[in-house]
Amino acid sequence: VSELDLIRAIRRWSSNDLIGDDCAILTPPRGRQLLVTTDMLVDGVHFALATHSAYDCGWKALARGLSDIAAMGGDPHWCFVSLALTPAADRKWLAAFYRGLGALAKRHGVSLAGGDLTRSDRLSADICVVGSTPTGRALTRSGAQPGDILYVTGPLGAMAASGYTLRPHPRLDAGLQLRRLRATACMDISDGLALDLHRLALASGLSASLDEIPVAPGASLEQALSGGEDYELLFTLPPAKRPPRSAIRIGSLSGGESGKVRLQGRPLSARGWDPFARIDNRHRV
Amino acid sequence: VSELDLIRAIRRWSSNDLIGDDCAILTPPRGRQLLVTTDMLVDGVHFALATHSAYDCGWKALARGLSDIAAMGGDPHWCFVSLALTPAADRKWLAAFYRGLGALAKRHGVSLAGGDLTRSDRLSADICVVGSTPTGRALTRSGAQPGDILYVTGPLGAMAASGYTLRPHPRLDAGLQLRRLRATACMDISDGLALDLHRLALASGLSASLDEIPVAPGASLEQALSGGEDYELLFTLPPAKRPPRSAIRIGSLSGGESGKVRLQGRPLSARGWDPFARIDNRHRV
C-alpha cells in the first residue's frame, strides 16, 4: 500500500476531494472570527486498539475537537486529520476509522478538508477543527464575574464509569444556545470537573464554590469529579439570567483566592486527567 | 511536571498567550482565502532524536508546514503544534524545540497560536499552519497547460546528501513571487522530484519531460531525483512568461499519458519518499 493509494481510498471514504494540493483552500465566513483547535490522541493514552473499535477511535478523535468548538459557542466547519499508522491499523481499520469520523462530521455539517498520513510504531491521530463565531462573540474561560452562577449541561462521570468506552457527544447545540445567551464563561469538561473548574476560576481570577455534583447513573462521586471525558459544558451566567432548560446549577463564583475550588465548604484539589501527572492519574483506558 | 506547568513554560518560550481557551480565536484577513496544512513528524521516520537536535526538530517541523504555504503562494500567519512526548524529551529538550520553531516562526512573521501536549512512547509532532492568499489566487498543482515550461527554484539533492540533517528553508519569498507572476502550477518538492513531478503532471492531466536536473554540489543524480526534503518549489509558466531570476528551467509539459514523466526521453519511475512504501525506500534519517 502506498501513500497515494491510501489517499485515494480516503477520498472515497470521505466523499471529498482532499489532499489534492499542499494546503486546503478555505473561504472564511464573512464577519466572523475563526476558532481553531488541535487534539492529539495516542493509542494506550486516549484510547486503546484493544478496547476501542476503529469506528469509535475515528468518532472520538473528532468528538474531542468538536467539543472544543462547542465550548467556545462556535459553529464547526472543517476538520483535518493527521494519522501515524502502525501495521496493525490495516486498510480495513482505516476505512472504519474514517467511517466513524465521517458519521460524526456529517451530523454536524463538518467537512474533512485535509490531513497527513505517516507511519509509526505507536498509533496516534491529531485532529484539527476549524469553526467560527460572529466577531467578538466567542465564549471564553476568563469572563466569569463575582456572583455568577455555575452550571453544567448534564450529569457527570458516565464516561469514566464506562471505562471510557462510551461514544462522546459534543454539545454543539448547547454551545450555540450559550453564545446567544451571552454566557459569561464557558469550557468543556474534558479532564474532570475538579481540574476544569479550577482552570475556569483561575482564568477568570475568581474562586468557585460547588454546592452539588450531578452524578450520572452508575458513576461514583469521584468519577463525576475527576473522571473526565464527559464533554459536558461548564458555564457561568449572571444570577438574573435564566439558564437553558436542561442546565444543572452546581454552584457559584466569587472573589477570593484565584483558582480555588470548594465543594460544600471544603477545599477541592484540582485533580483530574493529566497525561503528564502519572502519579495521581490512572492510565486512562 | 504537569501539563499546566508545561503550558506555562511554553508560553514563556513563545512569548505568546496560547492555550488559554479551548480554541484559538483568529481574525481572518479580509478578502482572502485561508490556506491550511498539517504535517506529522515521527521520531525515526522524519527525524531522529539521535541525529537531530531538539532545536532542529522544532525548526524542521515548522519548515515543512511553511513550505506547503509557500507552494500555494501564500502568506503564513499562525501555527499550531501538537506534541506527543516521551520521557527522553525532557524540559530542556522541549525548550530547545520551541526555540528552534520560534526562530523560524519569527523570521516569517508566524504566531504560535495553540496546540496540544500529550505523552507517548514514540515522540511525534503534528504541525498545522494557517496562511492566506487573495481570493482565487492560490497556486495549485492542477493548472499547468500543454506547452508550459517547468522550473525549480534551486538545485536538488543537498538534503539527501547531508543525511537529511540540513536545516530546511521554506521558499516563501519565491512562492509570493510566483503568485504575483500567476504561475500556472506550483508545489514544493518534499518527496523528491520524480514523485512530486508525477503528482503535478497527474493533477494537471499532462505528461512531463525533464531535460536536465540541477544537482546540488555533493549530491548524486539519484539524490536529486528522489532524495526529497529539498523544499524547493516546482512550478510551471507559459513559454512567453519570464521566470524569476533564480529559477532553473528543467523541462516542459505536454499532452499524452497523464502523470507520465520522461527524463531525456526515457520513462522515469515515480520513486521518492513514501512512508508506506517500505520496499522501495530507505528509512529516512
Side-chain angles (χ1 to χ4, degrees), chain A residues 232-251:
Chain A
E232 296 293 348
L233 301 181
L234 172 67
F235 65 95
T236 58
L237 287 174
K241 272 202 182 164
R242 188 195 300 266
R245 211 147 35 110
S246 61
I248 304 167
R249 178 182 170 138
I250 59 170

Side-chain angles (χ1 to χ4, degrees), chain B:
Chain B
V1 179
S2 79
E3 188 174 1
L4 219 60
D5 286 338
L6 280 176
I7 289 171
R8 280 197 200 105
I10 291 169
R11 275 188 193 154
R12 280 196 307 273
W13 302 326
S14 63
S15 44
N16 201 331
D17 181 31
L18 81 160
I19 329 184
D21 279 298
D22 294 278
C23 298
I25 305 174
L26 309 176
T27 303
R30 289 168 70 104
R32 287 192 156 228
Q33 284 177 311
L34 297 172
L35 304 174
V36 183
T37 177
T38 66
D39 282 288
M40 195 179 253
L41 285 84
V42 177
D43 174 29
V45 180
H46 306 90
F47 65 91
L49 292 177
T51 54
H52 288 69
S53 72
Y55 187 99
D56 281 345
C57 290
W59 178 288
K60 184 173 176 177
L62 181 59
R64 282 166 58 92
L66 290 180
S67 184
D68 288 330
I69 299 287
M72 311 282 288
D75 304 285
H77 305 307
W78 303 285
C79 69
F80 299 79
V81 184
S82 290
L83 280 170
L85 295 172
T86 60
D90 56 11
R91 219 187 163 90
K92 198 177 140 196
W93 188 94
L94 201 60
F97 178 94
Y98 278 99
R99 269 201 309 277
L101 187 142
L104 184 60
K106 193 174 173 189
R107 188 179 288 214
H108 295 291
V110 174
S111 302
L112 177 60
D116 194 21
L117 280 175
T118 189
R119 65 182 165 82
S120 178
D121 52 9
R122 170 66 61 180
L123 194 138
S124 66
D126 191 48
I127 300 282
C128 175
V129 182
V130 180
S132 72
T133 60
T135 296
R137 295 289 300 281
L139 304 175
T140 68
R141 300 176 180 187
S142 56
Q145 300 297 319
D148 277 359
I149 310 299
L150 195 61
Y151 301 89
V152 288
T153 50
L156 304 172
M159 190 59 79
S162 80
Y164 302 99
T165 57
L166 286 180
R167 213 168 273 168
H169 287 271
R171 303 289 184 262
L172 287 153
D173 288 347
L176 271 189
Q177 229 181 331
L178 294 171
R179 183 178 91 207
R180 288 181 189 131
L181 256 179
R182 300 190 183 240
T184 42
C186 188
M187 69 183 296
D188 69 334
I189 304 179
S190 52
D191 298 337
L193 177 63
L195 180 55
D196 287 329
L197 175 54
H198 161 70
R199 290 168 174 159
L200 186 147
L202 196 66
S204 294
L206 299 174
S207 70
S209 292
L210 286 169
D211 304 323
E212 58 178 315
I213 310 297
V215 181
S220 67
L221 176 63
E222 188 53 38
Q223 287 171 329
L225 278 174
S226 67
E229 293 218 357
D230 285 305
Y231 298 114
E232 296 293 347
L233 301 182
L234 171 68
F235 65 96
T236 57
L237 287 175
K241 271 202 183 165
R242 188 196 298 268
R245 210 147 36 110
S246 62
I248 304 168
R249 177 181 171 140
I250 59 170
S252 60
L253 289 157
S254 57
E257 193 184 334
S258 175
K260 183 96 183 170
V261 178
R262 286 175 175 275
L263 172 57
Q264 292 162 353
R266 296 204 197 111
L268 183 70
S269 73
R271 61 185 182 276
W273 166 250
D274 182 333
F276 294 99
R278 303 203 186 186
I279 297 156
D280 300 333
N281 280 285
R282 74 255 158 274
H283 196 69
R284 183 148 58 182
V285 295

